Amino acid sequence: MSYATVEAGVLATIRLHASYPSSGSNSRAQDYNILSAASPRCVVVVPGPVERAVVAAPRRVQSFWTVYIDLFVPMRTQRSTQHTNFVAERDTLLAHLDAYPTLNGTAGVINAWVVGVDDPVVWVGSRSASYMSARVRMMVEERENITIAET
């Protein structure tokens, strides 16, 4: 498996939710240009670190892929109301991801879970657009058999 497979699985799982259409109009991989869309919410999925361990030497490897999901909600109301709206969006996203512990059957995924969410911050983008944003950290576990090339 590769990060590309994990990333595609995360995006496909997010897009199962009604707030994130399959067209990708408000959810993308490594593309912050979607913030220029007039969407009430956006997510950008970006790669994080990977940790690996041999679990059955020498051919079985376990990988823990970290996927960052940057959640953005445009600042369109009073700050106190905005924070309440953002927390609701965040909680909806977390509950949705929790419901798909194998990323809806993504090949090779044993388990996927949200391990943390940063505190929300105000993010100012191009054209003076402001967003409340937080980074969601997701861990995806997979195991794979590897082919040994040495003789």
Side-chain angles (χ1 to χ4, degrees):
M1 192 154 89
S2 67
Y3 175 77
T5 302
V6 170
E7 182 177 79
V10 170
L11 270 174
T13 301
I14 289 170
R15 290 173 180 166
L16 292 172
H17 193 278
S19 295
Y20 300 95
S22 61
S23 67
S25 60
N26 65 347
S27 58
R28 299 264 173 86
Q30 305 175 46
D31 182 4
Y32 290 91
N33 289 325
I34 64 168
L35 297 178
S36 62
S39 177
R41 72 201 55 75
C42 292
V43 294
V44 178
V45 177
V46 294
V50 61
E51 296 181 28
R52 302 183 83 199
V54 174
V55 292
R59 291 178 169 77
R60 190 94 166 128
V61 174
Q62 180 177 29
S63 298
F64 292 94
W65 302 90
T66 302
V67 179
Y68 296 129
I69 304 165
D70 293 337
L71 173 64
F72 296 90
V73 177
M75 300 283 286
R76 295 184 177 149
T77 61
Q78 295 291 333
R79 193 170 184 98
S80 60
T81 305
Q82 179 67 34
H83 188 270
T84 301
N85 293 346
F86 182 84
V87 168
E89 290 287 345
R90 179 201 63 198
D91 292 351
T92 297
L93 179 62
L94 295 181
H96 175 71
L97 291 169
D98 286 346
Y100 295 92
T102 63
L103 299 177
N104 202 32
T106 298
V109 173
I110 294 172
N111 208 351
W113 64 99
V114 172
V115 296
V117 181
D118 293 345
D119 289 335
V121 296
V122 175
W123 188 87
V124 179
S126 62
R127 301 181 191 101
S128 300
S130 297
Y131 301 86
M132 188 160 276
S133 175
R135 177 163 274 185
V136 176
R137 293 180 311 282
M138 178 169 238
M139 186 71 65
V140 180
E141 175 187 8
E142 62 100 8
R143 290 189 184 162
E144 64 183 323
N145 291 322
I146 58 171
T147 303
I148 304 298
E150 297 175 341
T151 55

